[in-house]
């Protein structure tokens, strides 16, 4: 019968004690025989020092790269946050710009409302227009339910826009004074001379429309105001149409003609005021 080999068990504390004793012996020998061990220390140092230097250099390189990566990660995170903030600011800025435009539009409506305070009015928003770049014919969001009727005068900016030509239940169509089919009887406010204001879309690229049938004796200067005249059968009297310029004798040599700069910006119409008093009813009341 084979005898079992006894199992040798080494305790960790014995290993620690042994290593400590060896270290103490080496330290003692290092101090006691410093001169004898100097060549050994030099040889070991010449081997270990370059390795240590290389390890330190490599460690520094790795540390720098890790720092760079950490910084890049921080910059990427910060950049994403800044992008998010920029998008939020863009949205807020767009809202503020829209609010400002709406406020400016309401302010202009208020000013024109005060200018013609004697007439009752209804405010409306433009919801569509014809295909060209000018608002010669357009649709508003108020109709018969709001008391709108055909031939009611429409205002915006500093004066006359046009006249209501069609009314639905909750919408209406407006023909402006720049439309080729438009005709308004006008009057020079300073001299009381009358004239005909005719829409002309071809001229509007220059920002003007045509005025005709001015008396040969009329002394008209550039910048004179033209308003709706008392002889108009649809337009209420005294509403600003625009400002005359380049008045001269026409080809017939019987009258003068020229151009008029409208008081309204017909490229940018968003809100208008409709005067709810009709000219014919006002005349009957008088």
């Amino acid at each position: 019968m084979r005898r079992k080999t006894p199992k040798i068990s080494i305790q960790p504390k014995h290993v620690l004690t042994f290593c400590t004793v060896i270290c103490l012996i080496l330290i003692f020998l290092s101090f006691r025989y410093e001169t004898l061990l100097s060549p050994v220390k030099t040889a070991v140092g010449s081997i270990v020092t370059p390795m240590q230097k290389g390890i330190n250099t490599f460690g520094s390189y790795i540390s720098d790269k890790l720092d760079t990566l950490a910084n890049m990660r921080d910059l990427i995170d910060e950049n994403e946050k800044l992008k998010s903030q920029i998008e939020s600011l863009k949205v807020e800025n767009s809202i503020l710009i829209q609010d400002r435009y709406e406020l400016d539009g309401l302010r202009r409506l208020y000013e024109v409302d005060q200018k013609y305070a004697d007439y009752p009015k209804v405010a409306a928003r433009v919801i569509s227009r014809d295909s060209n770049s000018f608002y010669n014919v357009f649709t508003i969001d108020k109709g018969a339910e709001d008391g709108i009727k055909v031939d009611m005068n429409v205002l915006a900016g500093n004066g006359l826009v046009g006249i209501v030509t069609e009314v639905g239940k909750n919408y209406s169509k407006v023909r402006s004074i720049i439309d080729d089919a438009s005709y308004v009887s006008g009057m020079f406010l300073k001299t009381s001379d009358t004239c005909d204001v005719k829409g002309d879309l071809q001229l509007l690229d220059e920002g003007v429309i045509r005025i005709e049938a001015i008396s040969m004796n009329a002394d008209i200067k550039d910048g004179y105001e033209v308003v709706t005249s008392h002889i108009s059968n649809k337009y209420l009297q005294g509403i600003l149409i625009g400002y005359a310029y380049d008045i001269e004798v026409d080809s017939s040599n019987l009258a003068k003609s020229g151009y008029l700069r409208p008081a309204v910006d017909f490229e940018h119409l968003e809100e208008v005021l409709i005067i709810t008093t009709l000219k014919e009813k006002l005349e009957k009341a008088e």
Side-chain angles (χ1 to χ4, degrees):
M1 191 173 186
R2 294 181 61 185
R3 296 176 61 184
K4 291 184 179 181
T5 304
K7 202 173 199 180
I8 300 172
S9 177
I10 300 175
Q11 297 293 329
K13 62 181 181 179
H14 295 155
V15 175
L16 179 61
T17 302
F18 176 77
C19 290
T20 302
V21 171
I22 294 298
C23 287
L24 290 173
I25 293 171
L26 289 174
I27 292 170
F28 172 77
L29 291 174
S30 175
F31 282 104
R32 182 70 180 79
Y33 302 103
E34 183 176 359
T35 304
L36 293 174
L37 294 175
S38 179
V40 176
K41 290 167 67 177
T42 301
V44 172
S46 63
I47 296 172
V48 171
T49 299
M51 292 176 61
Q52 188 176 19
K53 185 177 180 182
I55 291 170
N56 289 338
T57 301
F58 181 73
S60 297
Y61 173 80
I62 295 298
S63 178
D64 290 342
K65 291 299 180 183
L66 290 174
D67 289 342
T68 301
L69 288 173
N71 290 334
M72 287 178 64
R73 202 171 292 113
D74 292 340
L75 288 173
I76 290 171
D77 292 340
E78 186 176 355
N79 189 45
E80 291 300 321
K81 290 179 181 178
L82 289 173
K83 283 182 178 179
S84 178
Q85 291 177 2
I86 289 171
E87 290 302 319
S88 298
L89 289 173
K90 283 182 178 178
V91 172
E92 290 178 9
N93 189 49
S94 297
I95 293 172
L96 287 173
I97 290 173
Q98 184 176 352
D99 289 343
R100 190 193 71 189
Y101 286 151
E102 289 181 358
L103 181 60
D104 289 343
L106 292 173
R107 187 181 292 114
R108 287 191 293 269
L109 282 184
Y110 175 76
E111 289 173 355
V112 75
D113 179 47
Q114 294 302 300
K115 188 173 182 179
Y116 304 101
D118 293 339
Y119 299 123
K121 308 172 198 69
V122 171
R125 183 177 292 275
V126 177
I127 55 176
S128 68
R129 62 174 177 178
D130 280 5
S131 57
N132 60 58
S133 60
F134 296 104
Y135 288 82
N136 59 310
V137 177
F138 58 90
T139 305
I140 57 176
D141 63 353
K142 296 293 173 66
E145 288 185 339
D146 306 287
I148 308 301
K149 296 179 181 178
V150 172
D151 289 342
M152 283 184 172
N153 294 190
V154 181
L155 309 176
N158 291 321
L160 183 65
V161 171
I163 198 164
V164 176
T165 57
E166 181 183 331
V167 176
K169 183 178 179 181
N170 54 11
Y171 76 93
S172 299
K173 287 193 174 182
V174 178
R175 182 175 65 240
S176 65
I177 61 171
I178 63 173
D179 189 70
D180 291 332
S182 175
Y183 164 83
V184 184
S185 177
M187 180 181 71
F188 291 96
L189 188 62
K190 193 164 186 176
T191 66
S192 296
D193 291 296
T194 59
C195 62
D196 295 338
V197 180
K198 293 185 176 181
D200 191 331
L201 288 174
Q202 291 183 345
L203 285 175
L204 204 62
D205 285 332
E206 303 172 26
V208 299
I209 53 179
R210 191 176 299 280
I211 49 176
E212 301 174 347
I214 304 168
S215 171
M216 287 286 289
N217 298 322
D219 184 15
I220 308 301
K221 293 182 173 58
D222 287 356
Y224 274 20
E225 291 182 332
V226 178
V227 299
T228 50
S229 76
H230 60 284
I231 63 175
S232 176
N233 61 343
K234 293 182 179 180
Y235 290 95
L236 297 162
Q237 182 179 347
I239 301 174
L240 179 63
I241 305 173
Y243 306 90
Y245 86 103
D246 278 1
I247 305 299
E248 57 186 17
V249 177
D250 61 24
S251 57
S252 69
N253 289 320
L254 298 174
K256 293 181 179 180
S257 62
Y259 302 96
L260 179 137
R261 296 189 186 279
V264 175
D265 180 2
F266 286 100
E267 279 192 275
H268 308 94
L269 276 179
E270 294 182 0
E271 296 94 8
V272 295
L273 289 176
I274 303 97
I275 297 176
T276 54
T277 299
L278 288 168
K279 176 72 179 289
E280 59 180 18
K281 287 189 176 181
L282 184 65
E283 289 178 343
K284 287 178 181 178
E286 293 175 350

